[in-house]
Amino acid sequence: VTDVTVELVEGDARNVLCDAVDRHHASVLVVGSHGYGAIKRAVLGSVSDYCAHHAHCSVMIVKKPKTKH
């Protein structure tokens, strides 16, 4: 990776991330996933799901690795 921009912005993560994609003409957005179940996702909303549907670029959702017992 040769062209990286770091920026600290306050606000609703969904809107901040999608606005940053537009502002920086990003070609890909990488976001993490908490791995919440369907009920928590329904109550809290999903930033990664919102970005996947609204960002004007490709979105890569990185899941937290499962722990081994």
Side-chain angles (χ1 to χ4, degrees):
V1 177
T2 58
D3 186 19
V4 176
T5 302
V6 178
E7 176 178 350
L8 179 62
V9 182
E10 291 185 23
D12 184 292
R14 295 172 289 213
N15 297 324
V16 167
L17 290 169
C18 288
D19 290 346
V21 163
D22 293 338
R23 197 169 50 257
H24 295 288
H25 307 288
S27 57
V28 65
L29 173 64
V30 181
V31 293
S33 172
H34 284 287
Y36 292 146
I39 294 172
K40 279 191 178 178
R41 244 189 345 266
V43 172
L44 299 174
S46 170
V47 172
S48 57
D49 183 66
Y50 181 90
C51 290
H53 288 92
H54 293 90
H56 296 128
C57 68
S58 297
V59 177
M60 178 185 290
I61 301 171
V62 181
K63 290 186 174 186
K64 180 178 175 182
K66 293 182 180 181
T67 57
K68 294 182 180 180
H69 296 284

